[in-house]
Amino acid sequence: MSAAGVDALEVAGLTVRADGAFGERRIVDDLSFRLGHGEILGLVGESGSGKTVACRALMRLLPPSLAVSANAIRLHGREISGLGDAEFAPLRGREIGMVFQNPASHLDPVMRIGEQIAETVRLTRRLGRREAEAESVELLRQVGIPDPVRRARAFPHEFSGGMRQRAMIAVALASDPNVLIADEPTTALDVTVQAQILRLLLDLRDRRGLAIIFITHDLGVVSQLCDRIAVLYAGRLCEIGAKRDVLATPRHPYAAGLVDCQPAHSAGARRLRTIEGQPPGVGEMPPGCRFHPRCPNAAGDCRSHQPPLVAMGPQRWAACHHPLGSARGAA
Ligand SMILES: Nc1ncnc2c1ncn2[C@@H]1O[C@H](COP(=O)(O)OP(=O)(O)OP(=O)(O)O)[C@@H](O)[C@H]1O
Ligand code: SF4
Ligand SMILES: [Mg+2]
């Protein structure tokens, strides 16, 4: 939270619907969370749980076939969910930026890296050409690109995967956003480059007060980087709370399953192993709790009633009819 008590981002009831052969499907269902200034929120969940769709919905980057609704989306206290696309456009990049899962498809292959960054700087910060070029070199330096003056003249294909990912971060930072969504920015990278990028994000948070949503499969990364964790399952929020609390004593059985899939006492990076069973597929959304077919604790009410998100302690919520005890794992 900032001194004034206003969050960098507040999302209430975000829902994304797809209409298909199986009828309406809620890809993201009633997602609510807050992100404080300078806070890093880890968004975790299995493949297909809706992490990317939720964040693209916030950026208004979904195809028109997906219908987005929300009770509120506030950027620094300003309600933006009712803005028209033309009113929202100047905020994209400038107030809220995104680093995408695949940097190669979001960098222009025929434009020099430095020009791509400078163009964003010019458009969003209204700087002159010379100043924008100097700023693009400075941004490349800040994201740890060696010899940035020379590298600014390179094309994306001349960069390694790690360098392209850094360049993508530099493009996102070029418009000086206050909120950054980073969608698995390190998944394809080797461990050394991954560690450098995580350090860079922490540094940007410390220096600029950047608030970050960091999407990942990797709880090892969450434990290094994030302040809080939000766990998604089949488009719904299962649990959200301080990293320390959720990792030490998960209250939701799915969150507990994710934690148990991590190598014990290991800080090493590893993709999450799946919990027994599969997440529901298209047209197969179970009634009641979406996790009940896989949940070892499922009871009758779980099959008929969807559990609401309820407070489990200070700044901690879980959506489960039978939450695990806080003493879990203590024995
Ligand atoms: N344009 C679309 N139309 C219909 N369904 C879509 C569309 N885009 C994504 N989906 C579906 O929405 C669900 C959530 O996808 P999403 O990409 O958000 O998952 P994710 O959590 O980011 O997964 P991953 O970890 O693999 O990146 C998936 O079932 C996906 O097939
Ligand atoms: S509501 Fe029931 S099925 Fe769902 S996670 Fe909790 S115990 Fe398991
Ligand atoms: Mg994704």
Side-chain angles (χ1 to χ4, degrees), residues 251-254 288-299 301-303 305-307 319-323:
R251 307 297 304 274
H252 192 286
Y254 176 66
C289 173
R290 291 182 172 189
F291 187 55
H292 87 248
R294 301 171 75 187
C295 181
N297 302 357
D301 51 352
C302 304
R303 296 181 186 94
H305 291 88
Q306 188 154 263
C320 176
H321 294 307
H322 309 285

Side-chain angles (χ1 to χ4, degrees), residues 46-53 101 183-184 215 217:
E46 281 164 300
S47 190
S49 55
K51 305 179 296 294
T52 297
V53 167
Q101 243 168 327
D183 193 353
E184 305 210 39
I215 300 178
H217 283 79

Side-chain angles (χ1 to χ4, degrees), residues 90-199:
L91 305 179
R92 187 187 298 118
R94 188 165 193 158
E95 292 289 336
I96 178 164
M98 187 158 175
V99 178
F100 297 91
Q101 243 168 327
N102 178 4
S105 59
H106 289 90
L107 290 170
D108 186 337
V110 296
M111 200 171 172
R112 294 175 200 278
I113 297 275
E115 284 172 33
Q116 300 193 38
I117 300 170
E119 186 178 85
T120 307
V121 168
R122 270 205 308 277
L123 286 174
T124 55
R125 292 201 245 161
R126 301 214 171 98
L127 293 181
R129 179 175 296 274
R130 296 276 289 277
E131 287 167 297
E133 280 170 12
E135 179 63 11
S136 74
V137 170
E138 172 57 21
L139 281 163
L140 287 174
R141 191 189 61 72
Q142 280 187 21
V143 299
I145 302 267
D147 194 2
V149 175
R150 187 171 65 82
R151 295 290 188 166
R153 292 194 291 271
F155 291 97
H157 73 268
E158 297 174 89
F159 272 24
S160 66
M163 299 255 284
R164 272 201 292 271
Q165 193 55 273
R166 284 159 193 252
M168 188 71 231
I169 295 173
V171 172
L173 295 176
S175 39
D176 199 19
N178 297 310
V179 176
L180 182 72
I181 299 171
D183 193 353
E184 305 210 39
T186 59
T187 305
L189 306 177
D190 72 48
V191 175
T192 313
V193 179
Q194 172 173 304
Q196 287 169 352
I197 288 184
L198 297 186
R199 267 200 304 277

Side-chain angles (χ1 to χ4, degrees), residues 16-19 25-28 44-56 62-66 101 183-184 215-217 232 235 271 280-282:
V16 181
R17 296 175 178 84
D19 262 326
R25 176 175 175 235
R26 293 185 176 209
I27 296 175
V28 176
V44 303
E46 281 164 300
S47 190
S49 55
K51 305 179 296 294
T52 297
V53 167
C55 291
R56 282 184 166 265
L62 288 176
S65 55
L66 299 181
Q101 243 168 327
D183 193 353
E184 305 210 39
I215 300 178
T216 180
H217 283 79
L232 271 190
R271 282 180 77 85
V282 178

